[in-house]
Amino acid sequence: MPVATEPTHVDALFAHARAAQADYEAHGSQARYDRAAQAAAWAIMEPARNRMLAELAVEATGLGNVPDKITKNHRKTLGLMRDIAQAQTFGVLSDDAATGITEIARPLGVIGAVVPSTNPAATPANNVINALKCGNAIILSPSPKGVSCCVMLLEFIHAEFDKIGEDKRLVQMIPPPGTKADTQRLLELADLAVVTGSQDNVRRAYSSGTPAVGVGAGNVTVIIDETADLAAAAAKITASKTFDNATSCSSENALVVVDAIYDAFVAAMAAEGGALVPAAAAAGIIEKLWPDGHLNREVIAKDADVLIEKLGLTGSVPEGTQFIAVETDGIGPDHPLSGEKLSRVAALYRARDYDDAIAITKRILAYQGAGHSIGLHTASADRPLDLGRHMPTCRVIVNQAHTFATGGSFENGLPFSLSMGCGSWGGNSIDENLHWKHFMQRTKVVRPIPACEPSLDDVFGAYWDQAGK
C-alpha cells in the first residue's frame, strides 16, 4: 500500500476541484459538458493563442519547433473535437428491455493528470477537453519545463470560461514550483490518475492506490519490405521523423529494410533528405548523442542544422539533410541506437529477408517499445495481419507516416490522442489510444426479466458427444 503523505496545498486545490465538480455534475447536462469542452478547445486553437503557446513551448523546453507545435495544437484538438462531437456522456445511454438493464453515464470525479514537456500544451488540452466532456474536474501536474506553458494554457481556458460563466475551479494546476511530493499527493487524492511521460511517473501512478491510466514507452520500429512503394515510404518516413523535431513517442526510431531493396530505399530516402551514416561512423554518433550515457540535451528535438553541427557531420552529409539514418546491427542496452532517441536520428538495420526483418523488430521491441506500435510499408494485404497476430504491439501502422497516424488521423479510424496505451506488453492498463471513454464510468440499473437458465444438455451436449460424460 502507498504511504500517505502529509496534507499540502494540493489538498486545497483538490477541495476546490471536488466542490466545483459536484456542482458541475448536479447541474450538468450534455449541453453544459459540450460547451465547457468547446471552450477549452478554442482556448488552444484560437490562432493567436495557439502561436503564443507554441512559441512559449519551444522557448521554455528547448524541444521541437514552432510551426509544427502550431500544427499539432490545432490538428490534435480539431480531431479530438470531431471524435467527441456526437459522443453522449450525460444521462441515460441505453435502455434494453431484453436484459432489463439501463445504463447511465457518470463522471469519474476529479482527474489528476501528469503531462510531459514534449507536448506541454497539446497533451494537457487533450486531457482537459476529455475530462470536461465527461463531467469531471481536472488538476494538471506539468513537467518542470512545461510549467509556464501550462500556466498560459489555463489562463486562456479560464478566459473562455468567463465568457460562458463556467467555474474556473474545474480546471486547475499544481502551482509552480511543483514538486514530486505535490505530484504524488495529487495521484493519491485523484479519482483517476492519467499519466503521460516518464515511465517513473507511470509506475508511481500505478502504485499510488488510485485507479490509473498510464502509457508505455515509444520506440517505433518500421519495416520496409521488398514490395513497398519506396518513394512513398521514404517521403512518409521523412515527414514523420522530422515533425516537431521527433519529439513524438510515435516518431520512427528504427528502420528495418530487407536486403533486396536496401540500396534502392537508401536512394529514395536520400532524395527526401535522409542522409546515410555508415556503420563505420556509428561510434562517433553514439559518443556525441550519449556523451555521458544520457541523451545530449543539445541534440534532442533540435532542428536539422543544429543536429548536424552537434554530431560533427557538417560537410559530411548533403546540403538539405533533414534527418540521419545510422547503419547498425546492435540491439539492447549496450547499443543505444536501438532505443528511443528523441531526435532526427534513426537506426537503420539491413535484414536478409522479410522473416529476418520480423526477427530484428521483435528483438528491438523486447529491448524497448513493446506494446506501443510498429510500422510496415508493404503491398501485401496479409503481412500486416500476421504482424497483428504475432508481434508484441497494440498497433500496426500500414503505409502511413507513423507520427501522424498512431495518435489518430483524419485518414484512419484511430481516435485522436497524444497518449497511447501499450497493453500488458508495455505494462499498461489499456491497449488503445487514451480517449473520452476512459474519462467516464457507467451505472447500471438492473431490473428482473424472465429466467433464462440453460439445461446441462444445452451446455455440454456437443462436448459429451465427442468426449463422453
Side-chain angles (χ1 to χ4, degrees):
M1 294 291 293
V3 178
T5 58
E6 290 298 320
T8 69
H9 60 283
V10 176
D11 293 60
L13 286 179
F14 192 84
H16 289 307
R18 177 69 79 198
Q21 192 278 324
D23 177 81
Y24 193 48
E25 182 176 5
H27 299 94
S29 67
Q30 192 66 68
R32 184 180 181 186
Y33 292 177
D34 288 350
R35 188 168 59 249
Q38 289 169 335
W42 187 238
I44 186 173
M45 287 185 67
E46 192 278 320
R49 290 184 296 207
N50 184 354
R51 174 168 288 279
M52 291 173 65
L53 286 165
E55 290 174 346
L56 181 59
V58 174
E59 177 186 348
T61 68
L63 304 174
N65 63 75
V66 172
D68 289 348
K69 293 285 189 196
I70 291 172
T71 298
K72 184 182 295 185
N73 291 345
H74 179 89
R75 290 181 67 83
K76 284 291 188 181
T77 310
L78 180 64
L80 172 60
M81 295 307 291
R82 181 207 66 178
D83 289 348
I84 68 174
Q86 303 302 318
Q88 184 182 353
T89 57
F90 180 86
V92 174
L93 300 174
S94 64
D95 188 10
D96 189 343
T99 63
I101 295 176
T102 300
E103 286 195 348
I104 302 171
R106 301 293 302 279
L108 291 167
V110 179
I111 310 296
V114 181
V115 293
S117 58
T118 48
N119 296 305
T123 298
N126 187 284
N127 288 335
V128 167
I129 293 164
N130 280 319
L132 293 170
K133 171 73 178 183
C134 296
N136 304 290
I138 186 168
I139 301 173
L140 301 169
S141 175
S143 67
K145 288 188 175 182
V147 166
S148 60
C149 203
C150 198
V151 168
M152 180 180 284
L153 175 64
L154 260 64
E155 289 175 351
F156 293 157
I157 292 173
H158 289 165
E160 291 299 314
F161 275 14
D162 283 340
K163 295 179 182 179
I164 62 174
E166 193 52 87
D167 193 335
K168 297 177 185 178
R169 299 176 301 169
L170 288 171
V171 183
Q172 302 179 81
M173 65 175 284
I174 294 175
T179 66
K180 287 186 176 182
D182 291 336
T183 298
Q184 185 63 32
R185 184 62 176 167
L186 175 62
L187 294 174
E188 292 167 358
L189 291 172
D191 297 302
L192 175 72
V194 176
V195 182
T196 305
S198 75
Q199 292 307 290
D200 178 60
N201 281 338
V202 172
R203 285 189 289 269
R204 288 169 60 199
Y206 280 134
S207 63
S208 67
T210 296
V213 176
V215 296
N219 186 32
V220 169
T221 302
V222 174
I223 297 171
I224 301 93
D225 78 8
E226 72 280 5
T227 73
D229 181 332
L230 300 185
K236 291 171 183 175
I237 288 168
T238 302
S240 172
K241 182 62 182 173
T242 60
F243 184 76
D244 203 21
N245 293 345
T247 55
S248 171
C249 62
S250 298
S251 178
E252 291 87 341
N253 274 280
L255 309 177
V256 183
V257 186
V258 299
D259 181 72
I261 47 89
Y262 186 87
D263 292 336
F265 174 75
V266 168
M269 183 178 68
E272 295 292 337
L276 178 70
V277 175
I285 299 297
I286 292 170
E287 181 181 356
K288 291 181 175 63
L289 195 51
W290 290 273
D292 56 359
H294 297 90
L295 278 169
N296 185 348
R297 293 191 174 276
E298 295 183 353
V299 174
I300 61 173
K302 294 295 190 290
D303 292 338
D305 57 343
V306 176
L307 173 84
I308 289 166
E309 178 189 357
K310 296 296 183 181
L311 294 183
L313 295 174
T314 303
S316 62
V317 295
E319 193 76 21
T321 290
Q322 297 299 305
F323 76 98
I324 65 168
V326 186
E327 288 185 316
T328 185
D329 58 7
I331 299 171
D334 296 328
H335 304 278
L337 281 171
S338 64
E340 193 170 29
K341 291 168 279 295
L342 289 174
S343 61
R344 293 177 178 233
V345 178
L348 182 62
Y349 294 84
R350 187 168 191 153
R352 293 187 303 274
D353 51 27
Y354 181 68
D355 288 341
D356 188 39
I358 292 175
I360 291 170
T361 301
K362 282 185 176 179
R363 288 173 56 207
I364 293 172
L365 295 183
Y367 164 54
Q368 189 179 109
H372 192 286
S373 54
I374 62 173
L376 175 64
H377 291 273
T378 185
S380 169
D382 296 329
R383 283 179 171 178
L385 295 175
D386 184 68
L387 292 179
R389 292 187 184 100
H390 299 111
M391 297 294 280
T393 188
C394 293
R395 298 160 198 82
V396 179
I397 304 300
V398 185
N399 295 330
Q400 296 170 75
H402 208 100
T403 294
F404 307 141
T406 315
S409 166
F410 294 113
E411 297 175 352
N412 70 36
L414 289 174
F416 276 80
S417 178
L418 291 105
S419 306
M420 274 56 79
C422 299
S424 63
W425 298 294
N428 297 163
S429 60
I430 62 172
D431 61 2
E432 57 188 337
N433 291 7
L434 179 73
H435 64 288
W436 65 270
K437 290 183 181 178
H438 301 114
F439 290 77
M440 185 180 78
Q441 56 194 346
R442 294 167 175 80
T443 294
K444 295 177 176 64
V445 177
V446 185
R447 297 176 296 275
I449 60 174
C452 181
E453 180 178 353
S455 69
L456 289 178
D457 190 66
D458 291 333
V459 175
F460 294 107
Y463 175 75
W464 289 338
D465 289 343
Q466 179 183 355
K469 289 187 177 181

